[in-house]
Amino acid sequence: MPHRPSGRSLKEAAMNETAFDELLFASLKPGLTSFCYRMLGSMDDADDAVQETSIRVWQSWSTFRQDSSFKTWVYRIASNLCLDKLRQSKRRALPVDLFDPAVAIVEPRDTLPDSAWIWPSPDFGGNPEDRLVRRDTLQLCFIALLQTLPPRQRAVLILKDVFEWSSKQIAEALAISPAAVNSALQRARETMDRAQLRSDELSSMDVLPDQQLLSRYVEAFEQFDIAALVALFHEEGCMSMPPFEMWIRGKEDLSAFYSLTRWHCEGSRFVPITVNGGYPALAQYMPSKAGSGLVPWGIHVIETKENQILHVQNFIHTPLFSRFGLPERIDR
């Protein structure tokens, strides 16, 4: 007769499965989230992918035969989930990569769905291994470049050039041959080298913005001193505002735009935060229409050149505030 497990054995098995779920998978979660974010360009999508990966790993635990490492097996599941999601979605981007700068300065109206845009991310957690991953590969312009790659090439390049996996390990994770990995990697690097995205030209996030420049930006914006604010910009400086298609370039147009939208932004306050691997940013709260206090409006990511502002990306997406752990309201 087959051995029937005792109640004690069943309880121990359940405890072992619980320990696996909490310890083994949890240790991979920060790095897994950063992988999915680079693949998908959205923290919402990345969180969904990691959650679904967790469910599938749990459901498939009995089939794990240790032919490869647990980590490789988990990334295989996550990669397949990301590839499936990308087959059903359009490329995410930044406004400056999709449209030309505004010709007429008017209040922005035309938008694209949230699913069209790349959004900034908070830190992924305190995993020591995750901190070793190159921070420059979390720049918003790099995330935008990644989205130009076919999904499988994107996965190969991220695992090789960002996470520094071997071709053999990548082949196991993606269920392809090492030769196919090397071929996909070569094509991906060639595409990245050829890509000429405006966001890449406008970005200098490899150098942190000067804190005094950020302080002057905060002071000028909170006082809504348009002359002082525009004076901080480079001659070719610009501002984009996803989900709006419209973006502004040049000091004259920036001045006109700030004058036009004074009624909306005057009285705003900033809260300092960091995005995408520790890059400094500012969370803008605007006066509430429903009474006292200030409510979330946008996340300003400021890129600089020669100690001047080259590009302000104002991500107008209030769900970002809760994701960054910011309050729903602040006092004036």
Side-chain angles (χ1 to χ4, degrees):
M1 292 180 61
H3 172 70
R4 182 184 298 274
S6 66
R8 179 183 178 87
S9 298
L10 288 172
K11 184 177 180 180
E12 288 175 348
M15 289 176 64
N16 287 337
E17 288 185 351
T18 301
F20 144 71
D21 185 52
E22 292 178 353
L23 299 176
L24 292 180
F25 188 83
S27 69
L28 297 180
K29 190 173 180 180
L32 200 64
T33 304
S34 66
F35 169 76
C36 292
Y37 172 67
R38 289 174 175 89
M39 284 290 293
L40 302 171
S42 158
M43 276 301 295
D44 286 341
D45 285 359
D47 279 348
D48 288 346
V50 172
Q51 179 63 26
E52 195 167 346
T53 298
S54 175
I55 293 170
R56 292 195 183 184
V57 167
W58 177 264
Q59 292 173 338
S60 305
W61 177 237
S62 62
T63 69
F64 176 50
R65 302 303 183 202
Q66 299 185 353
D67 297 330
S68 59
S69 72
F70 175 74
K71 179 178 179 179
T72 301
W73 181 63
V74 169
Y75 271 79
R76 180 186 304 165
I77 294 172
S79 298
N80 286 333
L81 281 167
C82 288
L83 294 175
D84 287 343
K85 286 178 178 289
L86 290 168
R87 290 188 190 100
Q88 302 167 18
S89 63
K90 295 182 179 179
R91 167 193 158 200
R92 288 181 178 267
L94 298 168
V96 295
D97 293 326
L98 294 181
F99 306 99
D100 290 329
V103 176
I105 303 304
V106 297
E107 289 186 27
R109 290 186 174 84
D110 295 332
T111 64
L112 292 179
D114 292 346
S115 60
W117 304 113
I118 291 166
W119 301 104
S121 76
D123 291 335
F124 301 111
N127 189 305
E129 180 181 345
D130 190 53
R131 287 197 291 268
L132 298 176
V133 174
R134 290 168 44 197
R135 274 190 180 177
D136 61 310
T137 64
L138 277 173
Q139 294 179 12
L140 290 164
C141 66
F142 186 80
I143 301 297
L145 278 171
L146 286 173
Q147 308 311 301
T148 66
L149 296 174
R152 192 172 296 279
Q153 289 183 29
R154 193 182 311 176
V156 169
L157 186 131
I158 293 169
L159 291 173
K160 184 69 173 180
D161 287 359
V162 178
F163 288 80
E164 299 182 348
W165 284 25
S166 68
S167 295
K168 180 179 182 294
Q169 191 176 6
I170 296 170
E172 292 175 353
L174 299 182
I176 57 178
S177 69
V181 167
N182 294 332
S183 176
L185 181 63
Q186 181 179 352
R187 294 197 303 274
R189 286 172 174 168
E190 289 172 352
T191 300
M192 294 278 278
D193 288 342
R194 287 196 308 268
Q196 296 182 333
L197 297 185
R198 193 182 275 120
S199 59
D200 192 32
E201 297 173 9
L202 292 172
S203 176
S204 57
M205 286 180 67
D206 54 326
V207 179
L208 296 180
D210 181 77
Q211 285 299 320
Q212 290 186 350
L213 178 62
L214 288 180
S215 296
R216 293 199 300 272
Y217 179 82
V218 169
E219 181 180 2
F221 199 104
E222 290 187 347
Q223 294 179 2
F224 220 74
D225 183 338
I226 294 175
L229 188 57
V230 172
L232 300 175
F233 280 82
H234 191 275
E235 285 297 327
E236 294 297 315
C238 59
M239 177 178 59
S240 57
M241 303 154 287
F244 294 103
E245 300 175 3
M246 176 184 179
W247 61 281
I248 317 295
R249 182 166 65 186
K251 288 189 174 185
E252 185 176 342
D253 284 353
L254 285 165
S255 180
F257 183 80
Y258 284 129
S259 298
L260 186 67
T261 57
R262 174 187 286 275
W263 66 273
H264 184 272
C265 290
E266 199 166 26
S268 292
R269 293 291 180 268
F270 284 119
V271 172
I273 60 171
T274 60
V275 302
N276 289 59
Y279 193 82
L282 300 163
Q284 179 192 350
Y285 286 79
M286 59 172 284
S288 171
K289 296 177 182 178
S292 62
L294 302 168
V295 294
W297 176 245
I299 304 291
H300 294 223
V301 180
I302 299 173
E303 299 163 327
T304 61
K305 178 181 180 181
E306 299 168 354
N307 207 27
Q308 294 177 298
I309 295 173
L310 187 62
H311 186 196
V312 174
Q313 299 188 72
N314 182 8
F315 293 92
I316 303 171
H317 188 52
T318 53
L320 286 172
F321 281 69
S322 59
R323 178 168 292 285
F324 279 88
L326 291 163
E328 294 181 359
R329 178 183 292 265
I330 63 173
D331 296 330
R332 288 179 182 270

